Amino acid sequence: MLETVQTTSHDDDILANAMKPANFQKAVNNWVPHDIALKDAWFPLAHSFAVEAKPVRRSVYSQPFYLWRENGVAVASEFHPNDSERSSKSIYSDASGRYPVLERYGYVWGWYGNPANADPVHLPSIPYLPEEGNLPQHMLGTVRFDCCAPLSLENLIDLTHADFLHADVVGDEKMDKEVVEVFHDSETITMVRSCTNKSVAPIMKRFGGVKDDVQQVRQVIRIYLRSHAAIAYGRFSPGDNVQLFHPCVPETRDRTRLDYTMNTSNVKKSNPFRYLMPKASYKVSRQDSYMTSPQSPRYMNPEKRKDLHSPLDEAGQKYRVLMQALAERQAHGDFSYRDNVSADCSDIIGYDGK
Amino acid sequence: MAETNTNPQTLWWAVARSEEVTNAKPINVDLGDQPVVLWRDADGVARALEDRCPHRRAPLSLGCVLGNGMIQCGYHGWTYEGETGHLKDIPNLKSTQKFPPLYRAKSYAVAESGGFVRISENPAATQPAVIAAALPLSGTEQVSLTHSEFLNALYDDPALVIAIRGVRFTPYLATELIEANGRLVMERNCQWAGPRWPAPFIPEFPASLLISTEPETGESKLIVRDADFKELLRVILAPVPGSRGVTQVRWRAKLASHRPGIMAKVMGTGAPFEILSAVDGAALRVLRPSVSVHAEALRQGIIDRRTASSQAA
């Protein structure tokens, strides 16, 4: 079971203090995401199908992760098996240079942090992905962002950006009403956006068989802070639900890898939306990069000028504060999980199994 | 940016040619390391803001110009008015609320004349002198030289940074770099292009290139004249310091309609003037500083006298 460092009362208070209004605003404006590197987390390093006998290379904060299979079982090492001039190993792997690794939801997950603390109980819950994986490859894909992972996730959790950047895919800002709710614990943040009579997503209108001009939308973004992984679950009426797993692996502090899964097995096999929606990520990710790529260098150093915010930015602001609270706690030597990330979150995201 | 000046905030920099600024799509330019977005509002007035949305620091130049002439960030739709930079709308808020004065992007003063859009960091800067007519030919190049290196190359060997159709620059000066009416002025003898006696053996040169530079911005007037003192080509050249040591050079030119002599007429075949975007590094490295040796002292002298004069006033 998890071995944790004894925490102090100071550490217990970090999140509570961070949420106090004065401290909250200070943290929001001290946001330098490139300086945050959280440890003791499972990262979805590769789709399971991508890991075979021949090693593939991944990174977490520039720390090498070589993945391959031995007798069908995925392994992760910081050394390539052909590396005959191994340098001294890091503190993140065992004596033989192997990392803790497990396989679930169609991913090979590697543990970045103290190997002794690795525990499957810290694996994020993803209700709409089968635990054994095995989804068809047309529902999977890889895209990259030229920006740091937290900015990519901050981008995701503020879905008002989609109305402008991705209007030609998911619809514009025209709607009658928009309500945004935000929930959090020490390890996750969840944003629920409910839109009334929103203009129909063009991809649903063109390929998904939706004939109406407006639809009712409930979008949920749930971020597992340490793993930099997000659930993006959308319910559309009329229209099919969208079930996206959106991990943002920080391969380096300023480059992000996204091995996504868009589970469209809920969509009729005769509906082109089932096959096209997963591919929309290639377009949407380029649209995101159009903004996050130039945005990222502007967050590399502390900035005297404060960002301006609107009431719509609550989720992004809380994400900033929660990440900094976790980083501060880890800086104090506390790597424990205060909340259970592997508990089924179906109720939280409103997933009913359909 | 120029290393020294009286007050950099009061300077006017020609950051675009008029035709580059439209209401169809905002453009990005640099003023030193400062990115600036330019566009035209609904009245056709050129506007300039820092190219950075104060919301999430995305470049405003990646957004769009709305029908009402305001600029909208392409990331979350924050919309700014051009003259003051005030935030006017966050579309998703679905309200008509007014935003506090703090909610604004940094704005620049803009002046447009003579086919150039000039900006000043000081919104209260005195408007620059109006140039009546825009010279018809124009262009923009990004040169991988710093602002001062570009000007020094122009003084020491123009052939490294500019080309004038049918004209060959010689090392022989008619006038060394001097101060005249608060500007840095020099004149270089020129030959016509093609097979000619080498310049050292030429008793009389058929043409000359006059360069007159505003000492603080480096904006220069170039005039090619023939031996009869007839103006053949006039160029206004505006170098503006950009990011990573790049200098953005905009220019406008007019070729005289009547140019006596065959070689002067050759100037009208093809492009009469161009800025060379690629600098010959090998030639530049061994270029002996000559004219430019005194340029900085002259420049600083003019600036010091301006400063003393403005303080006395």
Side-chain angles (χ1 to χ4, degrees):
Chain A
M1 190 53 199
L2 179 66
E3 182 182 330
T4 59
V5 175
Q6 184 65 41
T7 61
T8 65
S9 59
H10 173 76
D11 295 332
D12 289 333
D13 292 340
I14 286 175
L15 183 55
N17 280 334
M19 287 295 167
K20 290 178 181 171
N23 296 336
F24 185 89
Q25 282 309 317
K26 191 177 173 186
V28 165
N29 293 312
N30 285 344
W31 180 232
V32 186
H34 292 74
D35 288 350
I36 295 176
L38 300 175
K39 297 184 177 67
D40 279 17
W42 292 107
F43 284 97
L45 298 176
H47 289 118
S48 289
F49 79 84
V51 180
E52 298 177 325
K54 183 181 175 183
V56 294
R57 181 173 182 164
R58 299 288 188 269
S59 300
V60 178
Y61 296 119
S62 300
Q63 177 74 19
F65 279 73
Y66 291 96
L67 310 174
W68 69 94
R69 290 188 190 277
E70 290 176 347
N71 302 317
V73 178
V75 296
S77 168
E78 60 179 292
F79 303 108
H80 192 285
N82 295 340
D83 183 358
S84 57
E85 297 179 2
R86 296 186 175 190
S87 53
S88 58
K89 70 165 221 63
S90 73
I91 57 172
Y92 303 117
S93 59
D94 65 15
S96 61
R98 295 285 175 97
Y99 299 105
V101 64
L102 56 79
E103 198 160 2
R104 197 169 301 170
Y105 300 126
Y107 288 87
V108 174
W109 300 72
W111 178 263
Y112 176 74
N114 182 350
N117 292 342
D119 190 310
V121 79
H122 302 320
L123 197 76
S125 159
I126 313 167
Y128 47 72
L129 292 191
E131 287 199 6
E132 68 282 9
N134 296 327
L135 287 173
Q137 284 191 29
H138 73 78
M139 297 180 187
L140 317 178
T142 299
V143 296
R144 298 171 188 273
F145 293 111
D146 305 335
C147 86
C148 73
L151 276 185
S152 222
L153 288 163
E154 188 186 3
N155 159 285
L156 179 68
I157 204 166
D158 176 4
L159 279 178
T160 60
H161 87 273
D163 300 341
F164 294 91
L165 269 188
H166 315 309
D168 57 350
V169 179
V170 298
D172 59 27
E173 81 280 14
K174 294 182 183 67
M175 69 187 99
D176 289 344
K177 189 179 176 188
E178 177 179 7
V179 177
V180 175
E181 302 164 279
V182 184
F183 312 95
H184 74 273
D185 59 27
S186 66
E187 297 290 343
T188 65
I189 180 168
T190 304
M191 187 278 302
V192 181
R193 183 194 196 206
S194 304
C195 303
T196 305
N197 296 331
K198 189 178 190 304
S199 55
V200 168
I203 192 168
M204 291 187 175
K205 197 153 193 169
R206 285 181 201 146
F207 306 110
V210 177
K211 305 295 183 194
D212 303 47
D213 291 326
V214 296
Q215 58 189 167
Q216 314 313 313
V217 180
R218 183 179 186 275
Q219 294 165 305
V220 182
I221 304 294
R222 176 173 170 82
I223 298 175
Y224 295 97
L225 302 174
R226 291 200 212 203
S227 293
H228 292 70
I231 286 174
Y233 178 61
R235 298 183 69 93
F236 298 83
S237 178
D240 289 298
N241 296 342
V242 172
Q243 307 174 145
L244 171 66
F245 177 54
H246 185 292
C248 288
V249 175
E251 291 213 301
T252 68
R253 291 197 303 170
D254 195 42
R255 294 292 186 273
T256 298
R257 180 188 177 101
L258 197 170
D259 287 322
Y260 66 86
T261 300
M262 178 83 75
N263 184 357
T264 51
S265 53
N266 57 310
V267 183
K268 283 182 184 171
K269 287 184 177 174
S270 58
N271 189 339
F273 185 76
R274 178 183 175 110
Y275 310 97
L276 288 172
M277 187 60 194
K279 303 308 174 200
S281 293
Y282 294 112
K283 180 171 188 175
V284 167
S285 65
R286 288 302 86 196
Q287 292 171 329
D288 280 324
S289 273
Y290 188 61
M291 286 298 169
T292 57
S293 183
Q295 184 194 19
S296 193
R298 294 177 170 180
Y299 282 92
M300 280 185 177
N301 292 302
E303 164 84 38
K304 284 182 183 172
R305 289 188 288 176
K306 300 173 181 174
D307 286 349
L308 301 180
H309 306 281
S310 82
L312 299 167
D313 295 328
E314 181 189 352
Q317 289 180 310
K318 276 191 175 161
Y319 173 68
R320 291 181 176 192
V321 174
L322 290 167
M323 288 291 282
Q324 289 175 83
L326 256 181
E328 186 180 347
R329 198 151 64 79
Q330 296 203 344
H332 284 86
D334 177 9
F335 294 89
S336 64
Y337 277 72
R338 303 288 173 80
D339 291 286
N340 185 353
V341 295
S342 59
D344 183 7
C345 66
S346 295
D347 287 346
I348 296 172
I349 67 170
Y351 174 68
D352 57 7
K354 295 177 184 173
Chain B
M1 195 162 301
E3 287 78 4
T4 55
N5 46 47
T6 44
N7 179 358
Q9 290 199 329
T10 62
L11 299 178
W12 288 90
W13 296 92
V15 292
R17 292 177 288 127
S18 289
E19 50 268 59
E20 292 177 304
V21 183
T22 71
N23 59 9
K25 181 88 180 75
I27 64 166
N28 162 267
V29 298
D30 290 343
L31 186 52
D33 288 330
Q34 182 74 70
V36 177
V37 58
L38 301 171
W39 79 98
R40 286 191 193 280
D41 68 14
D43 298 323
V45 179
R47 299 298 185 195
L49 297 178
E50 181 183 8
D51 194 11
R52 177 189 188 274
C53 179
H55 177 222
R56 290 295 176 266
R57 308 180 197 178
L60 289 170
S61 58
L62 300 181
C64 62
V65 181
L66 300 181
N68 60 11
M70 296 188 194
I71 190 167
Q72 183 177 63
C73 180
Y75 201 176
H76 299 92
W78 286 36
T79 303
Y80 301 90
E81 183 270 321
E83 185 174 7
T84 63
H86 281 133
L87 177 69
K88 292 296 183 183
D89 191 23
I90 301 175
N92 285 68
L93 278 184
K94 311 290 177 206
S95 73
T96 54
Q97 76 174 84
K98 288 186 176 179
F99 302 101
L102 176 71
Y103 274 58
R104 62 187 291 268
K106 179 183 175 184
S107 62
Y108 294 84
V110 181
E112 183 174 10
S113 72
F116 288 105
V117 174
R118 292 181 171 78
I119 65 169
S120 172
E121 291 188 79
N122 181 359
T126 308
Q127 288 279 308
V130 172
I131 303 170
L135 305 184
L137 306 171
S138 68
T140 299
E141 283 294 347
Q142 320 282 328
V143 183
S144 300
L145 289 174
T146 65
H147 188 254
S148 58
E149 285 170 348
F150 174 82
L151 287 169
N152 287 341
L154 181 67
Y155 296 149
D156 288 333
D157 184 359
L160 284 174
V161 289
I162 66 171
I164 297 176
R165 184 85 171 167
V167 173
R168 181 188 302 157
F169 308 113
T170 78
Y172 302 104
L173 304 185
T175 308
E176 65 178 16
L177 196 67
I178 59 172
E179 178 187 346
N181 299 321
R183 295 174 72 90
L184 299 170
V185 179
M186 66 171 289
E187 191 160 10
R188 179 180 295 274
N189 288 312
C190 301
Q191 289 179 281
W192 296 122
R196 305 284 164 189
W197 281 101
F201 311 133
I202 296 290
E204 308 295 340
F205 289 104
S208 69
L209 169 66
L210 179 124
I211 301 175
S212 169
T213 302
E214 207 296 314
E216 292 185 274
T217 62
E219 193 167 316
S220 299
K221 181 171 62 182
L222 277 60
I223 298 175
V224 176
R225 289 186 291 222
D226 66 12
D228 293 328
F229 213 69
K230 178 169 177 51
E231 183 175 313
L232 303 176
L233 176 72
R234 174 177 290 253
V235 180
I236 295 175
L237 181 153
V240 174
S243 291
R244 292 180 175 259
V246 170
T247 298
Q248 309 148 101
V249 187
R250 280 121 191 148
W251 59 270
R252 305 200 75 91
K254 182 178 184 184
L255 192 63
S257 54
H258 177 62
R259 301 182 303 281
I262 293 175
M263 291 311 298
K265 287 186 171 56
V266 167
M267 295 175 74
T269 60
F273 180 84
E274 64 177 308
I275 303 285
L276 305 182
S277 58
V279 177
D280 181 345
L284 181 67
R285 186 180 71 82
V286 297
L287 176 64
R288 288 191 305 276
S290 54
V291 181
S292 66
V293 167
H294 303 297
E296 183 52 33
L298 273 174
R299 200 177 79 84
Q300 195 57 53
I302 298 171
I303 292 168
D304 290 347
R305 282 190 292 283
R306 281 184 185 175
T307 305
S309 171
S310 64
Q311 286 173 346

